[in-house]
Each structure stands twice: as C-alpha cells, then as structure tokens.
Amino acid sequence: MPEKKGAEGLSIGIIMDGNGRWAKQRGLPRTAGHKVGADVFDDIALYAKDIGVRALTFFAFSTENWQRPKDEVKAIMDLFGQALKRIEKYRKEDNQVVFLGDRTPLLPEYQKRMADIEAKTAHRTGMILNIAINYGGREELVRAAQQLAQEAADGKIKPSDIDNACIEKHLYTSGQPMPDFILRTSGEHRISNFMLWQSAYSEFIFVDTLWPDFTPAHFDAAVAEYHRRDRRYGGL
Ligand code: FPP
C-alpha cells in the first residue's frame, strides 16, 4: 500500500476569504462573519500544530483592507487584539509566533503585545505561526529593497552581492521555509498580494468553502490535494 502522506513538515499559507459572504447569506452584518472566522483561525492553528505542520501563515489583514468601512476595519482589529490575548496564553502549543507586515499604524498597545509575543516565543521549536497583518507582498519587497540599498549606501555590501538569499534574509519570513502550498477559500482564484516572493514555487489550492465553514477535514483534504500534485521546480 502506498504510504499515506500527511502534513508533517509542510509550510502552508492561508488566505482566509469569504467571511462577508458567509454573513450575508445569513442576513448578518459582515462583522459576524469575521467573528466566526477568528474562531476558525484558532481551530485551524491548533489542528495544524497537532498534525505536525512546520509553518502556517494566515493572511489576517492586507495593506488594502484599510479601504473597507471604518466599522469593519475596527471589528477586524478588535478581533486581532482578542487573538493576541489568547496567543499570549498559548504555552503547550510551543508555537513560535511571528507577525508579518508593517505594524507601525497599529495601536501602540498591540505593537507592544506583538513584540512581547515574538520575543517570548522566538526560542520555541513547535510550529511557526505567522500572522500577516497590514501585510502586502509588494510592500515587503519594497522594504527589502530599501534596506539593501541602505546597506549598499553605507558600504556594507556591494550591489553585485545582492542575490536571492540576500533578499530572502530581508523578508518578514527570514529564515523560514517557503510555502509548499497556498490555500484560498471562498472560490476566488487570486493571490491578492500575499507572499509574492515566497510563493514562487508553491502549489495553489483553491476551495469553494467560505472561511467560517472551513474545518480540519477541509484542511486534510487540501493536504491530500497537495500530495497529488507533481512539483518540478522548473525541472522535469
Ligand atoms: C476575508 O473575508 C477576510 C478578511 C479580510 C479578514 C480576516 C480576519 C479574520 C478571520 C479575523 C481576525 C483575524 C485574526 C488573526 C483573529 P472577506 O471579508 O473578504 O469576505 P468576502 O469576500 O466574502 O466579502
């Protein structure tokens, strides 16, 4: 019998999409969808850790999401603040928590919590739990370019020293494995500025399920779909 391949060691990115539509289908405000979405975020993060995922990245808020109505932005930020409080209490999960994105426009209280969580979990050896908040893949690359240009201007590196590894070192995901697959829920087939550099050789898995309906069984199905793919990295 062929070996049943699981999720051990995989790096996975998730675009949690469909909260608004889920709420609309039920005649509820969009924020109700985000609230259930935040519970599903917890469930999937815990499940992924249990089944041995190496790194899990959630797209919680994009650089473009500020354009949404003020009350929706506030609701998502409140949910993020509540998630920070829960994450601070995680112990047995042994997750290393990393926040991807420009945190400077976030509440100072959140920024402090985020820095504390990162510092306290940096040594951990369990799953890497990345939360992308005010994150954009283009902005991440612009930031890397600015940092490298500054290093060149300071005479620390030569422009010809800049290679793939050098750029990767300046991404928010520095030192982490590239995603094996990126999953997007809700039937949309777009990358929406998520992990642009990191996804160069990732598989893309799109499922119709709306994020608030997403369960560990859907997660298992995505992992199984990933194992059916034939990754060649440009070779044969
Ligand atoms: C996409 O659905 C979802 C978001 C833009 C926000 C995701 C946020 C959460 C799940 C909760 C807060 C985060 C954490 C980490 C606890 P959508 O609103 O675009 O749905 P739609 O496409 O159906 O309108």
Side-chain angles (χ1 to χ4, degrees), residues 15-24 30 33-42 58-62 65 68 72 75-84 86-87 99 131-133 184-186 188 190 210-212:
I15 303 176
M16 309 180 275
D17 198 9
N19 294 345
R21 276 163 286 165
W22 182 92
K24 195 172 173 215
R30 293 176 55 81
H34 295 314
K35 191 163 184 303
V36 177
D39 293 339
V40 175
F41 157 84
D42 279 18
F58 287 99
F59 203 2
F61 193 85
S62 75
N65 285 153
R68 294 190 177 204
E72 183 171 343
I76 296 174
M77 285 299 163
D78 285 351
L79 288 167
F80 175 63
Q82 290 162 23
L84 286 176
R86 290 195 300 278
I87 290 168
F99 298 96
I131 303 176
I133 184 108
R184 183 173 191 147
T185 57
S186 92
E188 305 288 347
R190 283 190 296 277
L210 303 176
W211 179 251

Side-chain angles (χ1 to χ4, degrees), residues 181-209:
F181 72 88
I182 306 266
L183 169 82
R184 183 173 191 147
T185 57
S186 92
E188 305 288 347
H189 296 189
R190 283 190 296 277
I191 189 72
S192 298
N193 207 9
F194 184 55
M195 301 190 97
L196 294 183
W197 175 282
Q198 295 90 335
S199 65
Y201 288 101
S202 302
E203 294 293 324
F204 289 92
I205 298 180
F206 300 107
V207 298
D208 289 338
T209 314

Side-chain angles (χ1 to χ4, degrees), residues 5 9 43 58 60 73 97 108 115 117 125 137 143 165 182 198 222 225 236:
K5 294 181 189 154
D43 294 347
F58 287 99
V73 170
V97 183
I117 290 170
T125 54
R143 173 179 171 270
I182 306 266
Q198 295 90 335
E225 166 64 22
L236 287 180

Side-chain angles (χ1 to χ4, degrees), residues 19-201:
N19 294 345
R21 276 163 286 165
W22 182 92
K24 195 172 173 215
Q25 284 171 3
R26 286 159 179 77
L28 297 169
R30 293 176 55 81
T31 50
H34 295 314
K35 191 163 184 303
V36 177
D39 293 339
V40 175
F41 157 84
D42 279 18
D43 294 347
I44 297 300
L46 291 174
Y47 181 68
K49 159 71 179 76
D50 283 349
I51 61 172
V53 170
R54 176 71 194 105
L56 186 63
T57 306
F58 287 99
F59 203 2
F61 193 85
S62 75
T63 44
E64 291 74 32
N65 285 153
W66 297 106
Q67 296 159 23
R68 294 190 177 204
K70 247 186 169 163
D71 62 333
E72 183 171 343
V73 170
K74 184 176 180 311
I76 296 174
M77 285 299 163
D78 285 351
L79 288 167
F80 175 63
Q82 290 162 23
L84 286 176
K85 284 189 189 160
R86 290 195 300 278
I87 290 168
E88 268 175 344
K89 292 193 194 113
Y90 286 177
R91 288 283 181 278
K92 67 174 173 42
E93 288 77 12
D94 199 36
N95 289 335
Q96 180 190 349
V97 183
V98 179
F99 298 96
L100 320 182
D102 173 14
R103 58 191 79 179
T104 52
L106 304 181
L107 287 177
E109 177 202 332
Y110 287 7
Q111 292 184 47
K112 184 177 176 311
R113 282 222 166 97
M114 291 158 78
D116 282 355
I117 290 170
E118 285 180 330
K120 281 187 191 137
T121 65
H123 64 283
R124 292 191 183 167
T125 54
M127 185 178 80
I128 302 170
L129 173 62
N130 290 317
I131 303 176
I133 184 108
N134 191 30
Y135 171 86
R138 286 183 174 174
E139 289 70 16
E140 181 179 37
L141 288 167
V142 167
R143 173 179 171 270
Q146 288 176 346
Q147 290 175 353
L148 288 165
Q150 189 60 56
E151 287 177 24
D154 294 345
K156 292 182 189 146
I157 56 167
K158 295 196 297 289
S160 58
D161 291 336
I162 298 172
D163 57 9
N164 284 350
C166 205
I167 291 176
E168 275 171 25
K169 243 192 349 214
H170 287 79
L171 301 180
Y172 293 115
T173 51
S174 174
Q176 298 189 19
M178 298 292 129
D180 294 297
F181 72 88
I182 306 266
L183 169 82
R184 183 173 191 147
T185 57
S186 92
E188 305 288 347
H189 296 189
R190 283 190 296 277
I191 189 72
S192 298
N193 207 9
F194 184 55
M195 301 190 97
L196 294 183
W197 175 282
Q198 295 90 335
S199 65
Y201 288 101

